[in-house]
Amino acid sequence: MAANKRLLVLPGDGIGPEVMAEVRRVIDWMDKRRHVTFALDEALIGGAAIDGAGNPLPDRTMELAHAADAIIMGAVGGPKWEKLPFAQQPERGLLGIRKQLSLFANLRPAVVFDALANASTLKLDVVKGLDIMIIRELTGDIYFGEPRGIETLPDGRRKGVNTMTYTTDEVERIGRVAFDLAGKRNKRVCSIDKANVLETTVMWREVMESIKGEYPDVQLSHMYVDNAAMQLVRNPKQFDVIVTGNMFGDILSDCAAMLTGSLGMLPSASLGAPDKTGRRAALYEPVHGSAPDIAGKGVANPLATILSFGMMLRYSFDMVEDADRIDQAVQNVLNNGMRTADIMEPGKAKVSTDTMGSAILAELDKLAA
Ligand code: IPM
Ligand code: MG
């Protein structure tokens, strides 16, 4: 069958290449067993791109990114590149690709797998069964607002400036993503802002209110970000879909990730707006970073990247059955007692990155039989 899905693979730095190797095995499996052929390109990003092409986001990578139907990325960054000037650091590659492809909607599910509920630092009954979706706006806010920079004042003091900005259209489009998704879930959106202090977020709240009428079956509530941080650790199951700006979303999504006890398990999707043909730019990546301390040892957890590939099947290709099958395979290997080092518990079997990958393939075989 002709390859009808063009995929760009960006292994990146640290454990990125190792976990991506396991995704490639899943892709091969899809090809052989499900007759879904992906045309794969691979390109450099982050530190690997600095070393290989002198720039964290080479033009060639962006060319391939524009041509791809979907992108899957490992991770960027590491101590090797930390001393480089700010504008040349690996993170610029990630922020650059998000901005250039207008990947404004970042979906970060925080799901507690039953088999791992004990891994959370929170009490079992607080997190067991947790399933929330954080939707973070990804191309606006203080991350990209102007003016920005560090200037020297006439008296010699230095002044750092970053600017929180949103326009109504930016808030509307991320709001609609949240309402749409909540409509397919438990029909509750909680919008997080700091409307008691920041005008930008006063407007954010007004815009959320102005579009809620389009979604009569979804309930909208608002919460200040400081309270949201507290509520996430106090009673996270009160949330269904959380929608928030770039900066608050960065912070709250790490907090939510840790509720699950296992950063190594969490996938994410960053989506652009659909064009007239329904095609939308999309980048999928695990939430864990490049973990340079364990890179190259074959111990990294590939499940978040495999689940990110599953999100790709679901959100870019509408292959719901195959996406469900991947999620199920992950649950099964966990239920079978397999654990990489990051999620190891007494009495379980500690396995390497590629053994975990093999176990996923074996489960996929069973599920497809
Ligand atoms: C994330 C990361 C990035 C961000 C960094 C690596 C630039 O923390 O994806 O949450 O701040 O967006
Ligand atoms: Mg972050």
Side-chain angles (χ1 to χ4, degrees), residues 95-111:
L95 294 167
I97 199 170
R98 287 174 179 171
K99 189 68 178 173
Q100 288 187 44
L101 294 178
S102 299
L103 303 172
F104 71 93
N106 184 216
L107 277 47
R108 298 191 166 184
V111 173

Side-chain angles (χ1 to χ4, degrees), residues 91 94-95 98 108 136 138 143 246 250 253-254 285:
E91 287 77 7
L94 176 57
L95 294 167
R98 287 174 179 171
R108 298 191 166 184
R136 166 187 176 195
L138 204 58
Y143 267 56
N246 205 345
D250 179 46
S253 64
D254 264 27
E285 55 175 313

Side-chain angles (χ1 to χ4, degrees), residues 163-365:
T163 308
M164 177 182 257
T165 60
Y166 269 116
T167 52
T168 47
D169 53 311
E170 288 175 314
V171 183
E172 276 167 18
R173 68 178 181 176
I174 194 70
R176 292 204 164 93
V177 171
F179 280 110
D180 275 333
L181 226 82
K184 296 178 189 144
R185 296 173 44 104
N186 293 321
K187 310 209 169 359
R188 283 181 292 121
V189 171
C190 183
S191 170
I192 310 291
D193 60 43
K194 187 71 184 171
N196 52 347
V197 179
L198 303 171
E199 287 84 349
T200 308
T201 72
V202 171
M203 188 207 75
W204 172 287
R205 190 179 278 221
E206 288 168 2
V207 173
M208 288 292 161
E209 280 294 318
S210 76
I211 60 173
K212 77 172 182 196
E214 297 166 27
Y215 305 87
D217 59 332
V218 179
Q219 189 199 326
L220 173 68
S221 61
H222 305 275
M223 199 180 273
Y224 297 141
V225 63
D226 48 350
N227 185 25
M230 183 180 82
Q231 296 299 336
L232 267 176
V233 289
R234 193 184 74 89
N235 175 20
K237 283 189 249 177
Q238 71 185 282
F239 298 109
D240 176 23
V241 170
I242 286 177
V243 64
T244 189
N246 205 345
M247 178 87 253
F248 298 158
D250 179 46
I251 299 166
L252 294 179
S253 64
D254 264 27
C255 178
M258 232 20 238
L259 299 174
T260 71
S262 42
L263 210 49
M265 294 298 303
L266 296 176
S268 76
S270 303
L271 309 175
D275 66 14
K276 286 188 205 90
T277 66
R279 193 170 175 272
R280 73 194 319 178
L283 181 143
Y284 299 83
E285 55 175 313
V287 171
H288 62 66
S290 58
D293 50 321
I294 58 162
K297 297 186 178 154
V299 299
N301 185 348
L303 295 179
T305 317
I306 291 173
L307 288 167
S308 300
F309 178 70
M311 284 188 92
M312 172 190 294
L313 299 181
R314 191 179 303 279
Y315 292 103
S316 281
F317 302 128
D318 214 13
M319 295 167 62
V320 177
E321 245 180 68
D322 290 285
D324 285 347
R325 201 175 277 129
I326 287 183
D327 292 352
Q328 190 62 52
V330 169
Q331 277 193 42
N332 291 0
V333 296
L334 295 173
N335 291 340
N336 294 344
M338 292 228 169
R339 300 285 186 275
T340 42
D342 57 309
I343 50 175
M344 187 56 193
E345 300 165 68
K348 304 296 181 194
K350 186 157 153 187
V351 300
S352 64
T353 308
D354 70 317
T355 305
M356 188 58 106
S358 304
I360 291 290
L361 298 184
E363 284 305 321
L364 286 173
D365 273 337

Side-chain angles (χ1 to χ4, degrees), residues 20 24 32 34 56 70 112 131 137 141 237 285 322 361:
M20 200 57 78
R24 280 187 168 256
K32 290 201 192 77
R34 301 284 303 148
V112 172
D131 179 356
E137 201 290 330
D141 203 352
K237 283 189 249 177
E285 55 175 313
D322 290 285
L361 298 184

